[in-house]
Amino acid sequence: MDALLGETSRPHADLDLVVSADDLPAVRAALANAGFHRILRDWLPTALAVADETGREVDLHPVAPTPDGGGDQRQPDGGTFHYPPPVAGTIGGRPVRCVDARTQVLCHLGYEPTIKDRSDMGRLARLGITLPEPYRANAGEAAEWDGPGGEHRVKFADLIEAQLRRLNERFLAVAAVGTRDRVLDTGCGTGQSTRDAARAAVEGIVVGVDLSEAMLALARQLSAEQGLRNVSFLRADAQTHEFPAASFDLCVSRFGSMFFDDPVAAFTNIGRALRPGARLVLLVWQDRDHNEWSTAIRSALGGPVPAPPLTGPNPFSLADPVVAEGILTEAGFVDFATVDVREPVFYGRNTEIAYDFALGFPSTRDLLAGLDAPTTALERLRATLAAHDTGDGVSFDSRAWVITARRALDTQG
Ligand SMILES: C[S@@+](CC[C@H](N)C(=O)[O-])C[C@H]1O[C@@H](n2cnc3c(N)ncnc32)[C@H](O)[C@@H]1O
């Protein structure tokens, strides 16, 4: 997987090598020379796992070469598994030949996937393959938020609180959490909005849901430090998790509801968790071209700026009120309304902090990955941030919607 993506996605327990069965003795000898003497599992002719003294493991998958340039691996049940011809990849900058993404996904079917499997397959989905069930729902987003995206938001949690302060106040005013409300916060991240809701719902409860374990860990820690007892956090996909039916009076989401790969399914699922008539209050970005923080950073990086799709997971997927209303109506919500919110967003006390912060955004990473001359682009990014440093820190204009709706009274739980 890492060879295909050209990056180290996580620490790995082993290295998988597909080798011609004829070459197996030579490969074993070479590995033994390199210290891999210990046989961990001998499942030949299907597989052989060897390890060295430090516990590093290599799994060998012998194949009988086939005319297409690939190979067939004998299976324990007597059948064969076909590896198509290898494709180009890199490890540590060195070119290698590796198993293509589709075949790697096939190797992870037939059992209940672990979170690690889901995250790995999600990373492979970035290569443009369609994932089969059970990897489909939000696999790519889970890989991002439970990986680099989540780590970035944990590292900059304080700054994000400051970044969104003005928008958050406007959002909370519309949310108007009641003292007895049972509140669901979807895509709660490190839980600032969850804690804000908990402080208002003094006789109620608040549940924050997110895909990122790292962000939830910080959310739990901060809630405990702040003495909040009516708040809990759940690692789950809001699109598919089976919430108790009709168990919440209000669902809030601060920039956490634009990343569903099937928004109608997601809001239908959230709607089931709400009692009939319960309110939905979402803070979402308006159009990308109306958000200076996005246009300025993108034009500084100078890469191609493809238009974001109107639906599907991206920060602007609910930017068009007509699209958002269509999704929510289909999902069983009524009384759709929007509040236009225009407030500056803060990027840090100085250019250096803002630069570090901006570098970790998924969109920045994607843009940089597609550039031939990232150094020049990074210099332009620094200059753009410096130009927005007022002396009191770096700020950009932003525009968001607070979307409100209600679960229809006549939908069935
Ligand atoms: C831009 S962040 C916003 C986080 C937080 N609400 C805040 O304002 O700081 C988007 C959040 O949505 C979460 N998210 C995305 N898709 C999700 C899903 N299907 N289920 C639950 N959380 C999701 C991400 O993990 C991430 O924490």
Side-chain angles (χ1 to χ4, degrees):
M1 181 180 85
D2 287 3
L4 270 180
L5 295 167
E7 64 180 26
T8 306
S9 52
R10 59 177 173 81
H12 290 278
D14 59 23
L15 172 70
D16 288 291
L17 289 181
V18 179
V19 296
S20 161
D22 291 340
D23 294 339
L24 188 61
V27 173
R28 286 183 74 168
L31 281 168
N33 268 345
F36 289 82
H37 295 288
R38 209 147 54 88
I39 294 182
L40 292 179
R41 291 178 298 279
D42 185 344
W43 292 340
L44 289 173
T46 304
L48 178 75
V50 295
D52 70 3
E53 291 310 315
T54 63
R56 292 184 306 167
E57 187 183 330
V58 177
D59 291 356
L60 298 170
H61 304 266
V63 294
T66 48
D68 66 352
D72 283 341
Q73 181 185 31
R74 287 263 299 279
Q75 297 299 294
D77 63 5
T80 53
F81 180 83
H82 181 63
Y83 286 95
V87 295
T90 52
I91 292 182
R94 268 188 272 170
V96 293
R97 297 193 306 158
C98 56
V99 175
D100 67 286
R102 215 185 126 266
T103 308
Q104 297 208 30
V105 173
L106 293 179
C107 294
H108 290 81
L109 292 178
Y111 60 92
E112 181 59 29
T114 61
I115 287 190
K116 182 162 67 65
D117 290 328
R118 286 182 193 282
S119 157
D120 286 355
M121 297 307 106
R123 286 194 171 90
L124 289 177
R126 288 191 213 151
L127 298 171
I129 53 166
T130 306
L131 290 177
E133 293 290 355
Y135 290 109
R136 211 158 274 166
N138 297 315
E141 290 303 305
E144 170 58 29
W145 295 111
D146 200 31
E151 283 156 28
H152 176 251
R153 294 188 77 87
V154 165
K155 179 173 171 197
F156 288 102
D158 288 344
L159 177 48
I160 290 169
E161 201 160 327
Q163 178 202 19
L164 302 177
R165 183 161 295 132
R166 307 266 286 264
L167 287 166
N168 194 52
E169 282 166 13
R170 304 282 303 274
F171 171 59
L172 286 178
V174 179
V177 177
T179 48
R180 294 193 175 169
D181 277 347
R182 298 163 300 166
V183 186
L184 176 65
D185 182 358
T186 59
C188 66
T190 55
Q192 190 194 353
S193 48
T194 330
R195 289 186 293 281
D196 286 340
R199 273 184 275 273
V202 278
E203 292 172 44
I205 52 122
V206 187
V207 179
V209 176
D210 203 277
L211 295 170
S212 161
E213 192 53 62
M215 282 197 266
L216 290 175
L218 181 57
R220 288 189 186 101
Q221 181 196 323
L222 293 173
S223 304
E225 284 169 8
Q226 293 170 22
L228 294 167
R229 291 168 185 275
N230 56 341
V231 64
S232 62
F233 293 94
L234 175 69
R235 185 191 192 184
D237 185 331
Q239 181 174 315
T240 54
H241 182 73
E242 287 189 30
F243 298 104
S247 54
F248 294 100
D249 305 300
L250 169 66
C251 173
V252 296
S253 184
R254 191 185 81 170
F255 296 126
S257 61
M258 302 90 88
F259 305 97
F260 302 125
D261 60 13
D262 186 340
V264 172
F267 285 111
T268 303
N269 191 47
I270 290 167
R272 269 188 224 113
L274 300 181
R275 67 163 168 75
R279 288 186 308 132
L280 176 73
V281 183
L282 313 174
L283 184 63
V284 305
W285 294 117
Q286 291 189 25
D287 194 89
R288 188 180 67 176
D289 293 343
H290 293 154
N291 271 292
E292 188 190 35
W293 59 269
S294 177
T295 51
I297 291 176
R298 277 170 183 268
S299 56
L301 292 176
V305 186
L310 283 178
T311 56
N314 76 74
F316 307 100
S317 67
L318 295 176
D320 181 342
V322 175
V323 171
E325 182 171 12
I327 291 169
L328 291 178
T329 304
E330 210 180 322
F333 287 87
V334 294
D335 295 345
F336 178 91
T338 54
V339 179
D340 184 0
V341 178
R342 302 179 186 193
E343 295 287 356
V345 284
F346 181 69
Y347 270 57
R349 281 196 321 278
N350 56 46
T351 304
E352 276 317 298
I353 294 172
Y355 179 75
D356 280 349
F357 182 42
L359 278 190
F361 295 152
S363 52
T364 313
R365 282 187 276 117
D366 284 351
L367 279 173
L368 284 172
L371 293 183
D372 293 335
T375 317
T376 322
L378 288 172
E379 280 162 15
R380 283 199 307 266
L381 173 61
R382 201 187 288 274
T384 296
L385 294 166
H388 283 82
D389 188 345
T390 59
D392 284 330
V394 178
S395 286
F396 291 97
D397 290 338
S398 85
R399 285 197 198 178
W401 300 118
V402 184
I403 293 177
T404 56
R406 279 181 189 279
R407 183 187 159 177
L409 285 174
D410 57 355
T411 54
Q412 301 300 308

